[in-house]
C-alpha cells in the first residue's frame, strides 16, 4: 500500500481515523463500502438492504433480525457533508412503483442507516440498549482500478495501456486510437487540440469495451468512463503516448503536457479518493456480474479476473487492537458477491459461487489478507423471478419465471416488457476453470441464456400489507458484513 500514499497522506489518514474513532465513542458507527463494476447492482443492493431493514423484511439468516433483537432501523443525516447523499427514496420508487431499475452509480454517495437493537449478551443489556450507525459508501469499482496508477509513472502507464490494448479482446476496439496516436509526435510542441483528439479517441476505446457484447472490466483510468463534474477538465484531457523515450521529457512538448496532466489526475482525483474514502472503510462488499462476462466469452472472463485482482489489491485488509485502531483503519471483512442469482435456477447457485471464488483466487493468493475474513456468495439483492418446472416430452426442465425487460431477446424472440415468461436458463459448468476456455464449436449452445428482468410486483399479506423487496441470500450478506457488531 506504500505506493498509494506518502507519509503526509498517512498522517492525514491517521488524523481522520482518530476523529472518526473519537466520534464513535459517543455514537458507534461502521463504514461499509459497496462497490463493483458498472451494472453489477450496487444501487439495487443498497436500496434492498435499507428497505428490508427499515421495513422488517424476511431475513431468516440475519441473526439479530431472526431473534427479534432489532427494535428499529431508520435513516439519519449522514456525517460527511461534502459527499452526495445516496438517493434511496428515488431508487425505491423506481423499483416498487415504476418497476424499472434505478440509475446506475455514476459517482460516490453515502447514506447513514441507524439500527437500534438489544444485545445478545445479558451483561451488555444490563447497561443500555445497543445502537449502531452503518455509513454506507457507494462508489464505482472503475475508480478503484485507478489506484494502481499511483505507483506508475506516465511512461509506465503509457506502456501498460498499449500492451493491454494489444490483447485480442481489446485490439479491434482500439484501432482508431492507435491511428490517432501514431499520428502524434510526442516531442512536438504541446497543442491543446492534439491533446483533445488523443483523449477523445482513447476515451471512445475505453467506452467501447463496456458494451454488453464485450463486457470488459479492466479499463483505467476510471474517471474517463464516469467523469462527473471533471468532464472536459485538463485533468481528464490526456492519453497514453506510444514509444516514449527514457529520461526526462522535453519541457513544453506534447509528452510533457500529457505527463503533467496525468500527474494532476493522480494528485487531485485518485489520491483524495483513496485517502478520504477507501482508507476509512471498516467492511467491504464487492459485487460481481459474472454472468455478463460469461455471456461475452472467455476473454471477458479473463478480463474480469484481472480487474478483480486489481480491485482487491487496493483495500487495506487486516485487524487492529484498541490502541492501533485509534489511528489505523483496516477492512476486517470483505464479501465478494456474485449478483443476479435469480437469473439461474437454485441448482446452479453453488456453481455460480464456485466460479466467482475461482475468479478471486489469484487476488487472495497475491494479497496479504491476514487478519481479515474473505467470503464469496451468490445472491440477488432483489429477486425478479420465481422457480417452476416445465415438461418437454419425457423430460422435466427447471425454469425461472419472470417478466423480461422490453427489447430483450432469446433465440430471436423479442420480449415486450409486459409478458411473464418461463425461461430455461441452462446450466453453469461444473468445472469453474472451463469458463476460461473457448467452446469446441462456434455453434455450440451458450451455457446460460441470460436476459434482464423487470423488478417484481411486491406481494401482499392476507391483511393487505405490502411485503418488503424479495431477495436471495441478502440476509447471509448482512450477517457476514455487520452481524458481529449487533451481537
Amino acid at each position: 500500500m506504500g505506493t498509494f500514499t506518502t507519509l503526509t497522506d498517512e498522517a492525514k489518514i491517521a488524523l481522520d481515523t482518530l476523529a472518526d474513532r473519537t466520534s464513535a465513542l459517543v455514537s458507534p458507527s461502521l463504514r461499509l463500502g459497496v462497490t463493483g463494476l458498472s451494472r453489477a447492482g450496487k444501487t439495487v443492493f443498497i436500496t434492498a438492504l435499507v428497505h428490508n431493514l427499515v421495513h422488517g423484511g424476511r431475513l431468516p439468516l440475519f441473526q439479530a433480525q431472526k431473534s427479534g433483537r432489532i427494535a428499529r432501523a431508520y435513516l439519519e443525516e449522514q456525517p460527511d457533508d461534502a459527499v452526495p447523499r445516496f438517493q434511496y427514496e428515488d431508487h425505491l420508487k423506481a423499483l416498487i412503483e415504476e418497476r424499472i431499475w434505478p440509475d446506475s452509480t455514476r459517482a460516490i454517495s453515502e447514506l447513514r442507516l441507524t439500527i437500534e437493537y438489544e444485545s445478545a449478551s445479558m451483561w451488555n443489556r444490563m447497561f443500555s440498549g445497543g445502537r449502531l450507525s452503518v455509513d454506507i459508501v457507494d462508489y464505482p469499482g472503475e475508480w478503484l482500478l485507478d489506484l494502481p496508477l499511483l505507483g506508475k509513472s506516465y511512461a509506465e502507464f503509457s506502456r501498460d495501456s498499449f500492451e493491454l490494448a494489444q490483447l485480442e479482446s481489446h485490439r479491434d476496439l482500439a484501432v482508431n486510437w492507435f491511428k490517432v496516436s501514431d499520428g502524434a509526435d510526442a516531442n512536438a510542441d504541446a497543442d491543446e487540440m492534439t491533446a483533445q483528439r488523443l483523449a477523445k479517441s482513447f476515451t471512445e476505446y475505453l467506452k467501447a469495451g463496456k458494451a454488453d457484447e464485450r463486457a470488459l472490466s479492466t479499463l483505467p483510468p476510471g474517471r474517463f468512463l464516469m467523469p462527473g463534474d471533471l468532464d472536459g477538465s485538463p485533468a481528464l484531457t490526456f492519453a497514453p503516448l506510444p514509444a516514449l523515450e527514457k529520461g526526462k521529457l522535453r519541457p513544453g512538448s506534447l509528452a510533457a503536457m500529457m505527463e503533467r496532466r496525468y500527474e494532476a489526475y493522480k494528485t487531485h482525483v485518485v489520491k483524495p479518493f483513496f485517502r478520504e474514502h477507501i482508507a476509512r472503510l471498516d467492511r467491504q462488499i464487492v459485487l460481481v456480474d459474472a454472468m455478463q462476462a460469461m455471456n461475452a466469452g472467455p476473454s471477458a472472463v479473463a478480463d474480469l479476473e484481472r480487474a478483480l485482482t486489481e480491485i482487491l489489491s487496493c483495500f487495506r485488509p487486516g485487524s487492529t487492537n484498541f490502541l492501533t485502531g485509534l489511528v489505523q483503519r483496516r477492512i476486517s471483512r470483505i464479501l465478494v458477491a456474485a449478483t443476479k442469482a435469480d437469473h439461474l435456477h437454485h441448482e446452479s447457485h453453488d456453481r455460480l459461487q464456485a466460479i466467482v471464488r475461482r475468479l478471486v483466487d489469484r487476488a487472495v493468493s497475491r494479497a496479504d489478507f491476514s487478519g481479515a475474513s474473505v467470503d464469496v456468495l451468490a445472491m440477488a439483492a432483489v429477486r425478479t423471478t420465481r422457480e417452476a418446472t416445465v415438461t418437454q416430452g419425457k423430460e422435466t426442465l427447471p425454469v425461472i419465471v419472470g417478466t423480461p425487460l422490453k427489447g430483450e431477446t432469446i433465440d430471436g424472440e423479442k420480449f415486450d416488457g409486459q409478458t411473464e415468461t418461463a425461461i430455461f436458463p441452462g446450466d453453469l459448468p461444473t468445472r469453474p476453470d472451463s469458463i476460461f476456455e473457448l467452446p469446441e464449436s462456434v455453434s455450440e449452445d451458450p451455457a446460460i441464456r441470460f436476459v434482464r428482468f423487470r423488478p417484481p410486483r411486491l406481494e401482499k399479506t392476507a391483511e393487505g400489507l405490502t411485503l418488503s423487496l424479495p431477495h436471495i441470500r441478502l440476509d447471509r450478506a448482512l450477517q457476514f458484513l455487520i452481524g458481529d457488531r449487533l451481537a
Side-chain angles (χ1 to χ4, degrees), residues 403-422:
T403 305
L405 291 175
K406 184 178 181 179
E408 291 290 298
T409 60
I410 287 184
D411 296 331
E413 179 185 359
K414 182 175 287 189
F415 299 102
D416 61 8
Q418 301 296 325
T419 306
E420 193 173 70
T421 307

Side-chain angles (χ1 to χ4, degrees), residues 14 181 278 306-307 346 348 478:
S181 297
I278 303 304
R306 186 183 304 114
H346 75 271
S348 285
L478 279 167

Side-chain angles (χ1 to χ4, degrees), residues 132-270:
L132 176 68
S133 293
V134 181
D135 294 322
I136 304 170
V137 183
D138 174 34
Y139 63 95
E142 284 81 1
W143 292 8
L144 277 180
L145 296 177
D146 283 350
L147 295 184
L149 300 181
L150 295 176
K152 294 181 181 180
S153 67
Y154 174 66
E156 291 169 329
F157 160 68
S158 294
R159 183 197 64 221
D160 292 349
S161 296
F162 278 99
E163 287 180 358
L164 183 64
Q166 290 291 351
L167 294 178
E168 183 179 353
S169 56
H170 292 65
R171 193 181 307 132
D172 63 319
L173 303 176
V175 169
N176 185 58
W177 172 48
F178 288 157
K179 182 179 178 181
V180 175
S181 297
D182 288 343
D185 181 359
N187 201 44
D189 290 343
D191 176 69
E192 183 62 35
M193 299 311 297
T194 301
Q196 290 186 20
R197 283 195 301 272
L198 286 163
K200 181 182 178 182
S201 62
F202 181 56
T203 303
E204 288 173 347
Y205 147 65
L206 297 178
K207 289 182 177 178
K210 298 301 292 183
D212 286 351
E213 60 272 16
R214 289 305 179 93
L216 297 178
S217 304
T218 313
L219 297 164
R223 298 296 176 98
F224 280 50
L225 296 169
M226 299 177 179
D229 57 3
L230 292 172
D231 194 17
S233 67
L236 262 63
T237 310
F238 68 89
L241 288 172
L244 290 176
E245 297 180 3
K246 292 184 178 180
K248 191 173 182 180
L249 302 174
R250 181 179 72 83
S253 66
L254 176 65
M257 180 175 73
M258 292 293 193
E259 180 182 49
R260 186 181 70 251
R261 292 181 176 184
Y262 169 76
E263 292 298 332
Y265 181 78
K266 294 197 299 182
T267 299
H268 301 296
V269 177
V270 184

Side-chain angles (χ1 to χ4, degrees), residues 47 51 55 88 90-100 455-458 466-469:
T47 304
H51 189 252
H55 293 276
Y88 165 73
D90 292 341
H91 300 323
L92 186 64
K93 179 181 178 181
L95 282 170
I96 293 179
E97 297 182 18
E98 303 172 38
R99 291 186 64 207
I100 61 174
R457 288 187 176 90
L458 293 194
T466 301
L467 298 176
S468 55
L469 288 163

